Amino acid sequence: MSAAPRADDARDVDVVCLGESMVTFVPSRPGRLADVPAFSRGIGGAESNVACSLARVGHTARWISRVGADGFGDHLVAEIAAAGVDVSYVRRDPDRPTGVYFRTAGERAVDDGGGGGDGDEGGDGELSEVVYYRAGSAAAAMSPDLVPREQAWSGRVLHLTGITAALSDGCRALLRELTTRAPGRPLVSFDVNYRTALWRGGGAGRLLDLARGCDLVFVGEDEAGAAWGLRGAAAIRAALPEPEVLVVKQGSAGATAYARRPGGGDEVTCEPAPRVEVVAAVGAGDAFAAGFLSGSLRGLTVAERLRHGHLMAAAALTVPGDLGAPPAREHADGLVALDAGAWGTLRLAPGWTDAGPVSAEVATP
């Protein structure tokens, strides 16, 4: 199967996720940030979200980053470790703070699909209001000198995102090194994660160059249009022929995967997303990547990987925070095995991940 994780006894975890995580503050009630009197504390970060989701479904995951020598750094490390993620390579910076951000709750009364973008900067319905305080953060100091390659390569898969490339020159240099093909490199997974606010000075073309060096790439159809002016999944694949597998997320329509055949050409697989009653449109893209990676680690078909991605995204969309409790593996496998007709009737509402043994009737209230 294309983009299969490397099997190597020297690699001691399934997936290494490298990137910044921040403490997030979510309003205690809906409304503008200017009007909300109190906030609850959580955590958020694309790469740590993926690591936590993978650990919660039974894979071994490691998070590599830098945090401040402050209380927020203590909180991040403790929460991510509590999800079952190895944090032994996280470094504390005595001179730089841990990043934080504030966002609105982003409740929406409409249904949306489970396999779309990340939700905090686009999608159907009401947008979240997000304010970042991450300039000069501890994670922005990451560089090839501070993150040894042997640590980043210690898993069967290395998962990166374009967010890291936007943080600093040192972070960009680190991602350039880690996405350069070299002997002994693990499978490199890359979620483009284009953030307009982080690339206001231009340079989104750098994300395209980084993606070309990776084995598995995730990109939203909308973000490819915003970053590179590309329209449609086929045009995106034409601009990114190098990855063995390219997954184009298409919002409520689902996702399309291009997997290179051994003899040349692509196997093209499309899977629609189930309908989801959205609570907060954040974290879905990270969860989708985790679901697809989980299926890849298990050697599932591309169609099954896409469906697992959709289900993990739905778990994130049906809770207020960035991380939803994923369904048990038996539950998810039962849904993934549904025929096309039953899969097309799925309606997933808050609490759906708590269901027992799966049938189409249970999953479609």
Side-chain angles (χ1 to χ4, degrees), residues 26 30 33-34 42 64 66 71-72 76 84 87-88 99 138 153 166 182 211 220 248 256 274 290 299 302 357 364:
V26 181
L33 289 177
I64 296 178
R66 293 176 68 83
F72 288 150
L76 275 176
V87 296
S88 59
W153 284 11
V248 180
T256 298
V302 172
T364 57

Side-chain angles (χ1 to χ4, degrees), residues 196-226:
T196 306
L198 293 177
W199 295 99
R200 281 179 181 157
R206 295 170 181 168
L207 291 174
L208 194 60
D209 292 336
L210 290 171
R212 286 172 172 153
C214 300
D215 304 298
L216 167 61
V217 172
F218 301 95
V219 62
E221 197 169 41
D222 55 349
E223 64 183 340

Side-chain angles (χ1 to χ4, degrees), residues 47 67 71 114 125 131 148 187 228 355:
E47 300 84 2
V67 300
V131 179
L187 184 146
W228 308 319

Side-chain angles (χ1 to χ4, degrees), residues 92-189:
R92 310 302 292 264
D93 191 319
D95 301 315
R96 291 170 172 256
T98 304
V100 301
Y101 76 99
F102 295 77
R103 67 169 176 83
T104 51
E107 283 119 343
R108 301 191 289 181
V110 299
D111 279 359
D112 197 2
D118 299 305
D120 52 351
E121 293 199 11
D124 301 330
E126 179 185 346
L127 301 181
S128 297
E129 180 185 357
V130 184
V131 179
Y132 292 100
Y133 296 91
R134 72 195 314 175
S137 69
M142 289 190 294
S143 70
D145 292 335
L146 295 179
V147 181
R149 192 169 71 171
E150 58 269 22
Q151 292 184 3
W153 284 11
S154 59
R156 298 171 60 199
V157 176
L158 169 62
H159 181 70
L160 307 167
T161 83
I163 294 172
T164 305
L167 298 181
S168 67
D169 291 343
C171 285
R172 278 191 291 279
L174 176 61
L175 259 64
R176 281 196 301 271
E177 176 178 297
L178 296 178
T179 57
T180 298
R181 290 184 172 85
R185 192 183 83 165
L187 184 146
V188 176
S189 165

Side-chain angles (χ1 to χ4, degrees), residues 58-69:
H59 299 288
T60 53
R62 172 173 293 138
W63 174 53
I64 296 178
S65 190
R66 293 176 68 83
V67 300

